[in-house]
């Protein structure tokens, strides 16, 4: 929400995105959950509607098709686009006979306003359009924690997304290709690009930087705001390594079909965390894998100086993540080992708005 506060009118798209893969995934997840809504007037709660409340409008249409009469409630800060985002969203929700609360979703005043509107009920679904190129960089895990703490959602509320993670793999920046005329953003410690080809693979697998269970109870939801993950991957080739490429991944919820997630299949550190027996609506930013979306930029952490790798080297990445209302920090240690000895170590600290 603090990131969104910097947005202008030009950053919002009035088009509904209905043909884009990430929006189709949201549609599939909402359709699945709508089958099991038994209340005649289920509540839809969207955190961060943006200017055009695309997800609320879509959820409203889907649930109405099930002969229900949804109550739409949205939360949007009055900071983005100098308040025009919230004003436009207010008008849209009014047309749906819904309500928009202006403010930060994690603030006590906003929480009380939402609780008052729901009249001792809880949402059937809580949905949010993810904005973080690193999964937690939009602060959604903190927003989810506060929603439980403030009793905005209950045990029967279906959060969309249901879980999220950030994965990593090493690379050589000289093999990274960016899409023509695409935006490149640069921070003190990393760059953000939109790739148009897969870069060289130094390891066959991907490592895990962070993971969030967004259906967890209050204790776990709070505990996971401070986490440490260590991944160790084997190198399979001679190559020059000077970068760690990140990718966000999110499971929006169960959908019909057999399990299928080629990206998670390549990250063994996720195998004991996510359910690999059922099909899920998955969105991610890992170029080269089915389900990729350029809605999210690809963050690249630069390792200076770089180092040559050899087959059977090992790359270990230790990531300490802290997510809070105004505190967001990633402390990353990257170690290249050869025959049991450390060849080089890189230490990186990424902070809010890097």
């Amino acid at each position: 929400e603090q990131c969104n506060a910097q947005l202008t009118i030009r950053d919002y798209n009035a088009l509904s995105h209905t043909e884009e893969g990430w929006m189709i995934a949201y549609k599939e997840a909402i359709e699945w959950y709508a089958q099991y809504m038994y209340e005649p007037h289920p509540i839809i709660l969207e955190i961060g509607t943006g200017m055009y409340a695309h997800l609320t409008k879509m959820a409203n249409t889907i649930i109405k098709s099930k002969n229900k009469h949804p109550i739409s409630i949205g939360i949007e800060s009055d900071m983005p686009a100098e308040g025009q985002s919230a004003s436009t969203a207010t008008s849209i929700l009014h047309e749906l006979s819904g309500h928009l609360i202006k403010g930060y979703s994690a603030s006590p005043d906003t929480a009380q306003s939402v609780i008052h509107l729901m009249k001792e009920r809880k949402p059937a679904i809580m949905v949010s359009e993810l904005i973080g190129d690193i999964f937690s960089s939009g602060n959604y895990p903190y927003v989810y924690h506060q929603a439980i703490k403030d009793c905005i959602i209950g045990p029967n509320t279906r959060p969309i997304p249901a879980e999220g993670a950030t994965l990593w793999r090493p690379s050589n920046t000289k093999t990274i290709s960016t899409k023509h005329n695409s935006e490149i953003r640069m921070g003190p410690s990393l760059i953000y690009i939109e790739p148009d080809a897969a870069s060289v693979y130094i390891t066959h697998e991907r490592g895990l930087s962070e993971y969030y269970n967004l259906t967890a109870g209050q204790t776990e939801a709070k505990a996971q705001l401070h986490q440490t993950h260590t991944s160790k991957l084997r190198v399979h080739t001679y190559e020059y390594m000077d970068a760690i490429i990140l990718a966000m991944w999110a499971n929006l919820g169960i959908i019909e079909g057999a399990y299928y997630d080629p990206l998670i299949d390549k990250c063994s550190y996720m195998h004991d965390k996510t359910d690999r027996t059922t099909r899920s609506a998955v969105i991610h930013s890992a170029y080269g894998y089915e389900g990729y979306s350029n809605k999210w930029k690809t963050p690249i952490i630069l390792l200076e100086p770089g180092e040559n790798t050899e087959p059977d080297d090992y790359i270990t990445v230790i990531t300490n993540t802290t997510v809070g209302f105004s505190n967001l920090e990633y402390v990353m240690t990257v170690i290249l080992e050869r025959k049991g000895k450390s060849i080089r170590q890189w230490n990186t600290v990424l902070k809010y708005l890097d």
Side-chain angles (χ1 to χ4, degrees):
E1 290 169 322
Q2 295 180 63
C3 293
N4 278 350
Q6 303 170 66
L7 299 179
T8 67
I9 292 176
R10 292 190 301 274
D11 294 308
Y12 292 97
N13 191 338
L15 299 177
S16 62
H17 310 285
T18 52
E19 301 303 317
E20 296 185 30
W22 66 271
M23 195 66 162
I24 292 171
Y26 271 99
K27 181 175 182 287
E28 291 176 333
I30 294 170
E31 284 179 335
W32 177 268
Y33 289 140
Q35 299 178 78
Y36 304 101
M37 291 181 186
Y38 302 111
E39 297 176 274
H41 301 279
I43 296 173
I44 304 165
L45 174 63
E46 181 176 1
I47 305 292
T49 61
M51 185 174 287
Y52 298 105
H54 296 305
L55 291 179
T56 294
K57 289 191 292 185
M58 182 175 68
N60 194 277
T61 299
I62 291 170
I63 295 170
K64 279 185 175 179
S65 73
K66 307 298 181 183
N67 296 317
K68 305 295 182 184
H69 303 280
I71 299 170
S72 299
I73 300 174
I75 300 173
E76 175 71 0
S77 168
D78 58 3
M79 295 292 290
E82 298 180 339
Q84 293 185 61
S85 175
S87 294
T88 302
T90 297
S91 298
I92 291 171
L93 265 73
H94 181 73
E95 292 173 2
L96 300 175
S97 300
H99 308 272
L100 186 107
I101 305 297
K102 295 181 181 180
Y104 287 119
S105 61
S107 76
D109 289 345
T110 301
Q112 286 305 310
S113 296
V114 174
I115 291 170
H116 176 74
L117 275 176
M118 293 192 298
K119 299 177 181 177
E120 299 185 355
R121 297 177 59 211
K122 303 296 180 190
I125 60 171
M126 180 178 74
V127 62
S128 182
E129 181 181 326
L130 297 170
I131 62 169
D133 301 309
I134 298 171
F135 182 82
S136 63
S137 63
N139 276 42
Y140 185 72
Y142 179 80
V143 170
Y144 172 76
H145 157 66
Q146 284 296 122
I148 295 179
K149 180 182 176 182
D150 295 335
C151 299
I152 291 176
I153 61 176
N156 296 321
T157 301
R158 299 286 189 173
I160 303 174
E163 55 184 345
T166 300
L167 312 182
W168 65 267
R169 70 176 180 85
S171 190
N172 180 347
T173 55
K174 291 183 179 179
T175 71
I176 297 172
S177 177
T178 58
K179 185 176 180 180
H180 182 63
N181 286 334
S182 64
E183 177 190 47
I184 297 177
R185 300 200 306 266
M186 301 189 68
S189 307
L190 74 168
I191 60 175
Y192 296 88
I193 69 162
E194 182 181 338
D196 67 354
S199 57
V200 67
Y201 285 74
I202 297 175
T203 61
H204 289 302
E205 280 209 337
R206 289 178 179 263
L208 177 65
S209 289
E210 58 175 357
Y211 169 79
Y212 300 92
N213 176 2
L214 301 172
T215 63
Q218 184 175 342
T219 300
E220 183 181 348
K222 181 179 181 180
Q224 65 188 1
L225 299 179
H226 304 273
Q227 56 180 265
T228 299
H229 287 280
T230 300
S231 300
K232 186 174 184 177
L233 305 182
R234 188 178 72 86
V235 174
H236 70 85
T237 185
Y238 292 97
E239 189 52 74
Y240 183 73
M241 182 182 79
D242 63 354
I244 297 292
I245 298 179
L246 304 179
M248 65 79 66
W249 170 93
N251 169 10
L252 303 180
I254 296 172
I255 59 174
E256 187 174 357
Y259 167 81
Y260 181 74
D261 193 338
L263 178 59
I264 292 305
D265 289 343
K266 288 293 185 180
C267 182
S268 60
Y269 291 92
M270 280 288 290
H271 292 179
D272 64 344
K273 300 183 185 307
T274 188
D275 185 354
R276 299 171 69 233
T277 63
T278 58
R279 186 68 176 263
S280 295
V282 168
I283 53 178
H284 66 77
S285 63
Y287 188 91
Y289 291 84
E290 187 173 337
Y292 163 77
S293 174
N294 64 358
K295 173 179 170 60
W296 299 275
K297 294 289 186 181
T298 296
I300 301 172
I301 299 172
L302 303 177
L303 305 178
E304 295 179 330
E307 187 64 70
N308 292 310
T309 66
E310 297 180 4
D312 295 322
D313 285 354
Y314 282 89
I315 299 168
T316 300
V317 173
I318 306 165
T319 310
N320 293 283
T321 305
T322 301
V323 181
F325 177 69
S326 59
N327 179 27
L328 188 62
E329 184 177 73
Y330 309 90
V331 179
M332 183 175 287
T333 301
V334 182
I335 304 169
L336 175 63
E337 297 178 61
R338 183 170 300 146
K339 297 179 181 179
K341 295 183 178 180
S342 175
I343 299 299
R344 188 172 293 278
Q345 177 173 315
W346 298 266
N347 300 299
T348 300
V349 179
L350 307 178
K351 295 192 175 184
Y352 174 62
L353 291 184
D354 271 2

